[in-house]
Structure formats: C-alpha cells, structure tokens
Amino acid sequence: MELRLYEEMSSQVDGVAEEQGRPLLGHDYDSSILIVHQNEDTIFPLPSNHTDKASPSLSVPNQRLASLDVFRGLTVALMILVDNVGRAFPSLNHSPWFGVTLADFVMPFFLFVVGVSIGLVFKKVSRSRKPDATKKVILRTIKLFVLGLLLQGGYFHGRGNLTYGVDLSKIRWFGVLQRISIGYFLASISEIWLVNNNILVDSPAAFVRKYSIQWMFSILLCSVYLGLLYGLYVPNWKFEHSNALWTSHLSIIQNVHCEVRGSLEPPCNAVGFIDRLILGEDHVYQHPVYRRTKECSVNSPDYGPLLPNSPGWCLAPFDPEGILSSLMAAITCFVGLQYGHIIVLLQSHKQRVLLWSVFSFSLLLIGYILEILGIPLSKALYTLSYMCITTGASGLALISIYYIVDIEHLRKPTVLFQWMGMNALVVYALAACDIFPAIIQGFYWQSPENNLVDASEALIQTIFHSEKWGTLAFVIVEILFWGLFAGFLHKKGIYIKL
C-alpha cells in the first residue's frame, strides 16, 4: 500500500499522469524544479538549460523528500503512543476541553502533511486533465471516508472486546479518516481549479497572485466557521442516556439549558448543535473528552466517576471530528499546501527553511495573540487559535525533520519512521484502530483474558514493577514492531493503494 495517510487517495492521480505509463510524470511545472512522483516525494531538477545556476541542494540526480515519509510515520507512531499510554499518563491524553497536550497535535500533523503532499502531487494540472483529476480526487475521498466509517463507525469494537457489528441506527458518521478526507478534498479541488498556472512566480507578489483565489477560498471557509461558531443561536436541548446505577437499565431524559450565542463551553456550542441537528445525537461520539473535565470527573483530567453534583451535560454526546470543526481543520491542509508550494518553487534548502520559519513563527504568534484576545485553544472545537498554534508547530516539526533527514542526511535514526510513513494507512488501521490486537486476542487459552497481547503487557509491567511505566514500555515495543513490519512491506515492495 503506498499508504501515506494522505496520498492513498491522492498519490497516484492517474488522470494527471502522462499516458505513456510513467508514474505520475510530466506535470510541466512552471517552477524551477520538476516534481516526478515515482514515490511521490522525489524531486528532479530540470535540464541545465532551465537552471543556469544549479543549487547545491539539488546537485544530485534526484532528491527524495524522505522527511515527508518520516513526518507521516512519526505522526502515526505518536497516535499509537498517546492512544495507548493516555490511560496510564492522563497528561499525555487529549485535553479535556480547553488547552493542548501532546495528543492534540496528532490530528493537525496529519492534516498538515496532507496539504504539503497535495502541493507536490498537483503541480501542475493542465486544463484538459482537470476534470479527470477531479474525478480521481472525488473517488479517493469517498474511499477514505468509507474506510473511516468502517474503522471508527462502531463496527470494530477494538481491543478487549471480541465482538463486532454496529447498530446502523447508532453508527458514528464522522471520525479521523473522515476529517482527513474532507481536508484532502477541499485542498485538492482548490489546487486543481483555483490556481492561476499562467503566472510565473519570480517574486513574492507573483506568489500571492498565483494563489490568491485559493487563499480567498480558505478565508471564506474560516469565515463561515467563525460566523456560525459565534453567531449561531443554540437553543435548549435534551438527550437520552442510560443510568448505570439502575438495575433495570432504564433510560432517562436529561435537559440542557442553553439559549445563547457564541458559547464555547461543552454543552452549548454551535459545533455540537450542528452535529445534533444534521447527524442526530445517536450518530456522534458517545464518550467525549469533556467527561474528564473538573466539572464532571472525580479523577480529572482522567476519566472517573461523576462528581455528586456534576452537570447533566457530562453524559451528553459530542463529536470531536464533527461537521463545523472540520471546516477549520481543512484550513490546516491549506496552510500545509503553501509549504508544499515552497518546495516546488524554490530549489535552495536555505530559502525553503527561511520561508517555512517565517510562516511557522507567524502562525504561532497569531495563535498566542488570539488566545490572549479570548479565543481559547480547543481541539474539540478546532478553534482558530488552536489551528494557528498547532499548524505553526507542524511547520517547525517539518523544518526540524527536513534538516535532519534531507539536509544532513541522517537517515538511519529515522528509518523506522520512514517505513511507517510509507505504509501509514496500514499501520493506522491495524494498530491505531486496534484491529491487529483484537485479532490476536481472539486466540486465547480457556479464558479471553489469557491472550498474547494482555499477557505480553502484563509481563512487561511485572519487569518494570510499575503498571504505568510497563504500559509505556509495552507501547514503545509495539511501535518498534510496526516500524519493522512496515519495513518488511517496503523491502518486499508490497503496496496496497485505495
């Protein structure tokens, strides 16, 4: 599987590639370098008559941007880490509502590298090939969305539950892959149709003119999000939930009082209101992070029993990858897209790093200013300040990895991440979505608890004489396993494309 968690759908845009069978070749770019997507992230310089003064950074016949593979792989590894260690170290888990933790950078990292990669894949699409490229984008968007629905809609019950199946009346419609598919679709369509390819970029002003319509489109998305978040009236609402303390397991109706505009608190925000209105409360995530807030959990910031006087909304459903917040999440793809443009348009490592640094620090500064002005950081709502902070951090992460991997060529320390990045969707589906552990747990001795996965984790916890540190060590071993597994697939040339 050429399974880079963005390119699975975009990587081989067959209708954009030349008809001679070359793998995504011949994008007749107007830039000073030519991107040849043998493996997506390979850069070939144009013949000498196009570049009188070759940059030292492109003096080799071809230069593969291994840093993008490493970035993807590191992101997948980070997701496995925080998802499995969060229960032992709550500080590594997602923030209960406001604020950011390490886990809250995973989704922006994914979306950011999607955008960077789209900037390489669709440079440039001729007018005659735009409809075909659009069809490819739509098809791959649908495939990714459906895969996300299968993995996160409730069909697979995950580790520790040897059952499967989902009640279609309660299936969850949105999730991680669905959000990535939305960002991929919007950024790809804008790259195909909203770029003026007749403009030769030879100055900052020309860069702005070339992508101005694309930027206006992203600003429009951002404005729609902000307008609805702060301007939409949220009425009172109610939801049904089961009271586990009742032996009869009867459901009760809980009323939530709102009647407000612009609230960013858990019960009365526009993000949740739109999801309940369009999707229905049964089709959103039923165990939201705000159950770990200090208003709800006795073990905050970890999950725990409800406080005696906790508000009723503590048990209300809320989807952290909902409809409205996905519009702002797509902006992360658009910002990553500009980083991809810089790769295409500039040859020099120094120029790329300089412009990336300017963008990244500017985003961080804007994010902090917005937070000071009263727009809090919230992954669940994907607020504007959160988008700026996490996207700026994504840019700095790319710079660091790019320097280590593609400038200094220190490949061996990062080779496991590179392999994981080249097979990211496989690792995500099998590991982060717990499909592989659930399969292994299906083989047990006499009792379901006596399985290889739980026994291995218990053994490591015993060796470390600590449940917390033993869990961390077990997850690190798991990440190493998936890195080696991805390396095996790479060595065998096994790639499964959507």
Side-chain angles (χ1 to χ4, degrees), residues 178-206:
Q178 294 93 315
R179 168 165 287 181
I180 291 175
S181 71
I182 292 172
Y184 161 76
F185 174 78
L186 293 174
S188 296
I189 293 300
S190 74
E191 186 69 3
I192 294 171
W193 293 99
L194 303 182
V195 174
N196 189 342
N197 290 316
N198 295 322
I199 297 178
L200 177 64
V201 178
D202 54 3
S203 67

Side-chain angles (χ1 to χ4, degrees), residues 150-170:
L150 178 65
L151 293 176
Q152 293 187 291
Y155 183 81
F156 293 106
H157 297 169
R159 180 180 170 183
N161 192 332
L162 299 182
T163 64
Y164 64 91
V166 61
D167 181 354
L168 291 178
S169 67
K170 296 183 178 180

Side-chain angles (χ1 to χ4, degrees), residues 180-246:
I180 291 175
S181 71
I182 292 172
Y184 161 76
F185 174 78
L186 293 174
S188 296
I189 293 300
S190 74
E191 186 69 3
I192 294 171
W193 293 99
L194 303 182
V195 174
N196 189 342
N197 290 316
N198 295 322
I199 297 178
L200 177 64
V201 178
D202 54 3
S203 67
F207 183 87
V208 173
R209 291 198 304 272
K210 184 179 182 70
Y211 302 109
S212 59
I213 300 178
Q214 189 179 84
W215 290 5
M216 286 188 288
F217 179 62
S218 62
I219 292 173
L220 175 62
L221 292 178
C222 185
S223 301
V224 170
Y225 167 84
L226 292 174
L228 292 174
L229 181 66
Y230 288 100
L232 190 63
Y233 175 78
V234 180
N236 296 332
W237 60 287
K238 57 186 177 181
F239 66 96
E240 182 178 352
H241 70 91
S242 298
N243 191 329
L245 297 178
W246 293 2

Side-chain angles (χ1 to χ4, degrees), residues 166-173 279-284:
V166 61
D167 181 354
L168 291 178
S169 67
K170 296 183 178 180
I171 190 172
R172 182 188 176 197
W173 292 118
L279 304 177
E281 67 179 59
D282 289 335
H283 296 287
V284 300

Side-chain angles (χ1 to χ4, degrees), residues 244-310:
L245 297 178
W246 293 2
T247 57
S248 59
H249 297 288
L250 294 177
S251 297
I252 61 175
I253 302 297
Q254 184 70 53
N255 294 303
V256 181
H257 180 75
C258 291
E259 296 184 333
V260 295
R261 297 181 193 272
S263 173
L264 302 185
E265 298 297 329
C268 298
N269 57 79
V271 172
F273 172 62
I274 289 177
D275 287 339
R276 294 190 300 271
L277 184 66
I278 297 177
L279 304 177
E281 67 179 59
D282 289 335
H283 296 287
V284 300
Y285 191 53
Q286 299 296 309
H287 305 283
V289 293
Y290 56 60
R291 295 189 183 186
R292 296 191 284 109
T293 59
K294 60 183 180 180
E295 292 88 353
C296 299
S297 174
V298 297
N299 297 329
S300 182
D302 197 6
Y303 287 104
L306 293 178
L307 290 168
N309 298 320
S310 61

